């Protein structure tokens, strides 16, 4: 290789001829310098960055964060497991309560002799609606949630049935108890009807405002319906008398008693013994004079005596 060097100042030229070794050295310099520069820059860049990340302190901080996150995940896992266990227990409790509610409902339905078709506590509630396909890939409700929803619907259904049943029974009980029916005695016979008759004392035609039941002295006189005692004591013509208000405009009177067993204000039940049969007042012998008042006027008690008890 021949190198010609031109001098600017003198215009002269000089030439050198390079041997094998010199040539190799020059090439190494020409290629080596840029490569070395790049290598140096990269290595400096790397070392400056890694010094930010990988100091002992920062490494420690990273490890701490990692440990903290791991424990958070662990806590969350334990927490959800605990919650799931509690929920499972709650579902089991609800199912047990539902079984008891069903049993109660069935017993009430049987006791009340209700149509069991209307109230069916053994079956799941009747529901419906068109079938709609659910894309399994986009919707997958967990079994647990489904079970909860089913349970909720069942409880709601039983609640409604029991509410209706309660209302029905309450109404029936009220009607039954206030419903005037039957005789005011357990033993005895009807000795005088309601209406016109000849007066047992004067023999003249008189109005008999009630019916008489003759029986043994001291035998039970019973209330024909539940109510509140509004009179208990001596009353002109009636002797010892008990009056009971049954509400709905109805009241009854039990007269000529030997002894009254209730006092004014007492709440009495249908069939309760209110007095003992006697012959006090205007009476010819042991009997009970029984009157029924409807809106303040006497009516024939026979209508109520003969109608069937509900
Ligand atoms: Zn009478």
């Amino acid at each position: 290789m021949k190198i010609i060097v031109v001098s600017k100042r003198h215009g002269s030229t000089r030439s050198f001829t390079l041997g094998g070794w010199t040539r190799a050295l020059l090439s190494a310099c020409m290629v080596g310098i840029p490569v070395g520069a790049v290598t140096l820059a990269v290595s400096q860049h790397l070392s400056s960055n890694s010094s930010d990340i990988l100091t002992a302190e920062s490494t420690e901080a990273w490890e701490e964060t990692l440990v903290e996150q791991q424990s958070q995940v662990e806590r969350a896992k334990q927490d959800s497991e605990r919650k799931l266990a509690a929920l499972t227990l709650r579902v089991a409790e609800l199912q047990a309560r539902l079984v008891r509610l069903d049993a109660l409902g069935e017993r009430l339905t049987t006791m009340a002799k209700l149509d069991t078709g209307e109230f069916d506590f053994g079956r799941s509630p009747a529901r419906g609606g068109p079938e709609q396909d659910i894309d399994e890939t986009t919707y997958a409700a967990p079994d647990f949630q489904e079970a909860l929803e089913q349970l909720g619907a069942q409880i709601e259904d039983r609640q409604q049935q029991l509410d209706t049943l309660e209302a029905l029974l309450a109404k029936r009980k009220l009607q039954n108890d206030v419903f005037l029916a039957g005789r005011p005695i357990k033993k005895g016979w009807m000795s005088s009807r309601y209406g016109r008759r000849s007066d047992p004392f004067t023999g003249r035609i008189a109005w008999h405002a009630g019916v008489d039941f003759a029986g043994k002295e001291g035998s039970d006189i019973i209330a024909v319906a539940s109510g509140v005692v509004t009179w208990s004591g001596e009353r002109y013509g009636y002797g010892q008398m008990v009056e009971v208000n049954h509400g709905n405009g109805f009241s009854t009177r039990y007269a000529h008693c030997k002894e009254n067993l209730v006092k004014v204000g007492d709440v009495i039940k249908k069939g309760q013994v209110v007095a003992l049969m006697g012959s006090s007042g205007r009476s010819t012998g042991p009997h009970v004079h029984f009157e029924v008042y409807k809106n303040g006027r006497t009516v024939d008690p026979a209508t109520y005596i003969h109608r069937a008890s509900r």
Side-chain angles (χ1 to χ4, degrees), residues 192 197 208-212 256 287-290:
S192 182
R197 67 167 187 184
H208 190 215
V211 293
D212 295 337
H256 310 303
H287 80 287
V288 56
H289 171 83
F290 175 58

Side-chain angles (χ1 to χ4, degrees), residues 207-226:
W207 186 257
H208 190 215
V211 293
D212 295 337
F213 287 94
K216 216 170 136 186
E217 187 177 329
S219 58
D220 292 342
I221 296 171
I222 58 175
V224 294
S226 64

Side-chain angles (χ1 to χ4, degrees), residues 148-188:
L148 271 178
E149 276 169 16
Q150 234 172 42
L151 203 55
Q154 279 180 331
I155 288 174
E156 200 183 324
D157 175 78
R158 301 306 193 272
Q159 179 76 52
Q160 278 177 10
Q161 285 201 46
L162 284 173
D163 283 352
T164 312
L165 198 57
E166 189 193 15
L168 262 175
L169 291 178
K171 197 176 162 197
R172 184 185 291 187
K173 170 120 178 62
L174 204 68
Q175 281 176 344
N176 261 352
D177 283 3
V178 178
F179 189 79
L180 272 70
R183 307 197 304 172
I185 49 158
K186 289 174 184 167
K187 281 181 183 171

Side-chain angles (χ1 to χ4, degrees), residues 55-98:
T55 60
E57 281 173 17
S58 65
T59 308
E60 207 174 300
W62 275 102
E63 276 173 1
E64 275 174 18
T65 312
L66 206 61
V67 168
E68 174 63 23
Q69 281 176 346
Q70 274 173 344
S71 71
Q72 272 178 2
V73 168
E74 191 57 35
R75 274 203 301 274
K77 198 178 154 195
Q78 284 176 354
D79 201 34
S80 55
E81 274 170 5
R82 219 170 32 240
K83 278 178 183 164
L84 189 66
L87 274 175
T88 310
L89 198 69
R90 181 89 184 111
V91 167
E93 274 175 16
L94 285 176
Q95 274 167 341
R97 282 173 71 177
L98 193 59

